[in-house]
Amino acid sequence: MRRALMTTECVFGRDRPVIVCPLPSEHFDPSPFVESGDGPCNYGTPRSKISPEFPSCDFSLVTEDEWWTKDESQDQLLDRCERFRQFLLARPERRIAVVSHGRFLTCFVKEDDKEFNTFWNCDAREFVLEQDGQLKEGGLFVRVETPYELPQ
């Protein structure tokens, strides 16, 4: 969540409303074939610790201090994607920016069959969520190639 919130601030600043929702969080995959690690950046930071770091964000939807799970099956991930889809459909806004993580977004937009992670760091994509819950791609696609190691 911290990485997504930091990205949100970098892209949008602090003057827009930000509703923190735990549903589009990273998917922790314990598979030895997936580089997800066991660090807090891969599964979460307690609400009590992260919310003071982002005082302009609304954390009311994060009801548990430890809101993440480290043992999530693919079916549970797909269920979480569907719950997030329903959450978005229930929102009154017509345009919503979702800042999340590649693995979650890949499953959310149902691109899992194309390659493991079709979202790279800093990708920006536009989708239209129809009232029937179907997603269709919009016209925006921006891929910013970032170095694996940031300069010191």
Side-chain angles (χ1 to χ4, degrees):
M1 187 179 290
R2 177 179 284 114
R3 290 180 293 175
L5 290 172
M6 290 171 71
T7 300
T8 301
E9 282 189 352
C10 287
V11 173
F12 299 107
R14 294 184 178 187
D15 60 341
R16 297 192 180 183
V18 174
I19 299 170
V20 180
C21 178
L23 290 172
S25 63
E26 186 63 286
H27 170 66
F28 180 81
D29 190 334
S31 164
F33 305 107
V34 178
E35 293 183 40
S36 55
D38 196 25
C41 66
N42 289 312
Y43 58 85
T45 301
R47 176 188 167 166
S48 59
K49 184 174 179 182
I50 198 170
S51 59
E53 295 176 31
F54 300 92
S56 62
C57 296
D58 176 359
F59 280 84
S60 62
L61 296 176
V62 184
T63 58
E64 303 288 330
D65 197 42
E66 292 189 5
W67 48 268
W68 62 89
T69 179
K70 288 178 69 175
D71 297 311
E72 181 176 51
S73 70
Q74 181 70 13
D75 286 341
Q76 290 169 321
L77 172 61
L78 293 172
D79 177 65
R80 188 160 51 94
C81 288
E82 182 55 33
R83 287 185 287 137
F84 186 60
R85 185 179 315 278
Q86 295 307 314
F87 168 78
L88 291 175
L89 285 169
R91 298 290 313 164
E93 298 87 357
R94 300 275 302 145
R95 291 185 164 268
I96 298 174
V98 175
V99 179
S100 184
H101 300 275
R103 181 72 182 125
F104 177 84
L105 291 171
T106 297
C107 288
F108 182 72
V109 302
K110 300 182 178 179
E111 290 188 351
D112 240 7
D113 59 340
K114 294 184 180 174
E115 60 182 271
F116 170 70
N117 186 349
T118 58
F119 282 82
W120 291 10
N121 287 344
C122 302
D123 271 3
R125 302 213 194 155
E126 179 183 36
F127 290 89
V128 176
L129 180 59
E130 303 288 344
Q131 286 300 313
D132 64 1
Q134 296 298 310
L135 280 172
K136 66 179 186 180
E137 287 199 53
L140 175 70
F141 180 91
V142 178
R143 174 158 285 161
V144 179
E145 295 203 27
T146 57
Y148 288 107
E149 292 185 37
L150 296 176
Q152 299 294 340

